[in-house]
Amino acid sequence: MAQTLDLAGQRFGRLVASSIAFRRNGVHWNCQCECGSPTVVRAALLRNGTVASCGCGSREQARLNCQKWRMRNEHIPEQLRSGLKNCYNNMLRRCTDPTDKRWHCYGGRGISVCNEWAGLNGRRHFYDWALQAGYAKGLQIDRINVEGDYCPENCRFVDAVAQANNTRRNRIITWQGRSMTAANWARELGLTYASIQHRLDRGWPMERIVSQPQRKRGDA
């Protein structure tokens, strides 16, 4: 049997080993943490530096990280922080995570997030851009060119209606020198969206679509 190393009295980070607690899947030592809490740690984890506290070190680091985040984002109004955080996280996720339900519409099509926003200090750069771009509660990030990436020159903030009009699924109709989506034409002409879509699918010209009243039932 290999000789057990005596760790009693030795310091490992914030821990000081005192006595052997038990032997099972390696030797485990009773340790006293600087914060005053006792803990039991496997000898191998003490020696390789994997465990260096009772857990208080991780908790303190988490608090420190939170304080740093607040300091970095203290210029962001409190009421906007949650929305910007969700906006940024969702943007990255749909472009980088194949398990995201929207991946096939973004990352799966080759849409990516620029290095300025996805790289080092990317979140800070994105937040700074968002405030300059007029971000407000209730607005959503929108790519001007729906085939382009997420980057400052191709993004803006719009409301839900404007974003819905700027998708690959929309049918753009030009009539009398104006180009709008079918949904916008329907609102302007007083027709239902389903009605104008059905008439377009049947090959009706805009003149006929506009001139023929909508029935209460059916389409035409």
Side-chain angles (χ1 to χ4, degrees):
M1 180 181 296
Q3 184 176 1
T4 300
L5 291 176
D6 186 5
L7 304 183
Q10 294 189 41
R11 174 175 290 275
F12 302 90
R14 298 186 177 194
L15 299 175
V16 176
S18 58
S19 61
I20 293 177
F22 57 87
R23 302 171 186 268
R24 186 171 64 249
N25 295 324
V27 181
H28 292 69
W29 283 79
N30 291 308
C31 299
Q32 190 72 23
C33 187
E34 285 181 356
C35 71
S37 299
T39 187
V40 176
V41 185
R42 187 177 176 181
L45 300 182
L46 289 171
R47 295 175 63 201
N48 65 19
T50 300
V51 178
S53 75
C54 68
C56 63
S58 298
R59 292 190 292 272
E60 288 182 11
Q61 186 60 49
R63 285 195 294 270
L64 181 60
N65 291 341
C66 186
Q67 292 172 359
K68 288 181 178 179
W69 188 90
R70 290 197 190 99
M71 292 177 63
R72 287 197 304 267
N73 298 287
E74 60 184 3
H75 64 298
I76 302 175
E78 185 71 31
Q79 67 270 22
L80 300 183
R81 291 179 186 175
S82 177
L84 272 179
K85 179 181 178 182
N86 291 335
C87 177
Y88 181 79
N89 290 344
N90 291 337
M91 174 183 69
L92 282 184
R93 194 157 43 238
R94 58 180 172 257
C95 290
T96 61
D97 184 2
T99 65
D100 187 271
K101 63 182 180 181
R102 296 162 298 176
W103 159 262
H104 67 285
C105 294
Y106 294 89
R109 291 201 302 117
I111 304 300
S112 63
V113 180
C114 68
N115 290 333
E116 181 181 351
W117 291 350
L120 184 65
N121 296 320
R123 185 182 294 271
R124 176 61 184 263
H125 292 154
F126 176 79
Y127 287 1
D128 289 344
W129 168 84
L131 293 179
Q132 294 175 5
Y135 175 76
K137 190 174 182 180
L139 296 183
Q140 303 174 10
I141 191 168
D142 179 62
R143 285 171 298 122
I144 299 169
N145 174 7
V146 296
E147 300 299 332
D149 295 333
Y150 283 99
C151 55
E153 56 271 20
N154 189 44
C155 288
R156 60 185 175 178
F157 284 104
V158 298
D159 59 25
V161 173
Q163 187 180 52
N165 282 328
N166 187 31
T167 70
R168 292 182 302 139
R169 297 188 299 271
N170 276 324
R171 177 181 281 178
I172 304 299
I173 305 164
T174 300
W175 183 58
Q176 293 186 343
R178 299 170 62 200
S179 296
M180 294 195 297
T181 64
N184 280 340
W185 278 119
R187 279 190 289 271
E188 181 163 312
L189 299 173
L191 300 170
T192 64
Y193 177 70
S195 175
I196 197 170
Q197 285 283 58
H198 184 56
R199 294 180 180 189
L200 288 168
D201 289 342
R202 292 170 65 182
W204 287 22
M206 281 298 292
E207 288 74 12
R208 184 181 178 189
I209 292 175
V210 172
S211 63
Q212 183 141 349
Q214 181 175 311
R215 295 178 181 175
K216 293 183 179 180
R217 293 193 179 187
D219 172 56

